[in-house]
Amino acid sequence: MQRKPAKPQGQHGRPRLAPQQVRIIGGAWKRRLLPVLDALGLRPTPDRVRETVFNWINHQVGGDWDTVDCLDLFAGSGALGFEAASRGARSVLMLDSHGPAVRQLELNKETLKANNVNLLRGDAFAVARDMALRGQRFDVIFLDPPYQQDFVAKALPLCIDLLKEGGMVYVEAEFALPAGDALPDWLLPWEQVRADKAGMVYYHLLKLHENKA
């Protein structure tokens, strides 16, 4: 029950953030609020989803974030990339094609003095192909693209050549990734390590099968 309408309550009785802010939930910048560009389709990963996802990843990397290189392929608000940087990732490359969004990410980087974060503006698919050709590899790739554009199916195959051995991809989507025997071709190389749902958000942690081509 809401006793103070002026301060609407979210999950577990905590005040809801304004739509244009995101809270870092762990690491060196825990509880810091960062402004988010008010743009159509820009939807930061919810707090409780990030908490779960980063627990999954932390388990996979054994807590050794200082050896982890991350790629945030559709950075948007930067919620995932800055979360990884806050936890001590060795490097975080954040990519987005929208100029104002990238500028906001630059301002947030400056505010946090996030020396382990690099920003790049460009088309995710073109840049991913270019990085693969140049031999760039990452331990963790965050894949949270705009909805309703089939970007997950288009981007996952590109991630194969961007991962280090044992690396993982976090996928957030408006649908659950298919599981079982009837998999689309773009999912065949991947194993779903973990998957869950929060509200209308489906999120997954993927690794390549050991016998991938």
Side-chain angles (χ1 to χ4, degrees):
M1 182 175 64
Q2 289 181 292
R3 298 180 181 178
K4 297 180 180 179
K7 295 182 179 180
Q9 300 297 301
Q11 291 288 332
H12 310 299
R14 289 178 289 191
R16 291 181 187 152
L17 296 180
Q20 69 275 17
Q21 288 183 312
V22 66
R23 176 194 291 113
I24 295 177
I25 59 174
W29 307 317
K30 185 176 181 179
R31 299 189 184 91
R32 291 288 296 272
L33 296 177
L34 298 177
V36 173
L37 184 73
D38 185 11
L40 182 66
L42 200 61
R43 30 162 196 79
T45 300
D47 283 19
R48 67 191 183 105
V49 172
R50 272 184 289 128
E51 184 172 9
T52 299
V53 168
F54 277 87
N55 284 341
W56 291 350
I57 297 174
N58 192 65
H59 176 73
Q60 293 290 324
V61 303
D64 296 328
W65 283 93
D66 58 351
T67 65
V68 174
D69 298 311
C70 301
L71 171 63
D72 194 351
L73 200 54
F74 298 87
S77 70
L80 292 166
F82 283 122
E83 192 73 50
S86 178
R87 291 162 189 260
R90 177 166 60 187
S91 71
V92 179
L93 177 58
M94 302 169 71
L95 172 68
D96 204 276
S97 62
H98 186 48
V102 173
R103 180 55 187 156
Q104 183 63 67
L105 294 173
E106 290 172 344
L107 292 172
N108 290 344
K109 173 185 174 176
E110 293 170 7
T111 297
L112 295 171
K113 296 180 173 58
N115 296 325
N116 53 345
V117 171
N118 291 297
L119 302 171
L120 187 62
R121 181 183 177 185
D123 175 79
F125 304 105
V127 173
R129 293 185 186 97
D130 184 57
M131 288 191 296
L133 289 173
R134 295 202 312 268
Q136 285 185 261
R137 300 294 182 267
F138 302 90
D139 300 285
V140 179
I141 298 175
F142 297 109
L143 187 56
D144 180 16
Y147 287 175
Q148 309 297 335
Q149 299 187 52
D150 203 30
F151 280 175
V152 172
K154 295 175 182 177
L156 263 181
L158 299 178
C159 292
I160 293 174
D161 293 326
L162 288 171
L163 280 181
K164 297 181 187 178
E165 184 176 356
M168 67 202 85
V169 177
Y170 166 70
V171 177
E172 188 174 319
E174 73 275 26
F175 57 87
L177 295 183
D181 296 328
L183 294 178
D185 289 347
W186 53 269
L187 257 185
L188 287 175
W190 300 94
E191 172 192 358
Q192 291 194 43
V193 179
R194 300 294 298 267
D196 209 339
K197 177 189 178 186
M200 299 304 293
V201 176
Y202 295 84
Y203 52 107
H204 321 72
L205 192 64
L206 308 181
K207 283 190 167 186
L208 287 166
H209 289 297
E210 291 184 2
N211 61 344
K212 75 175 182 71

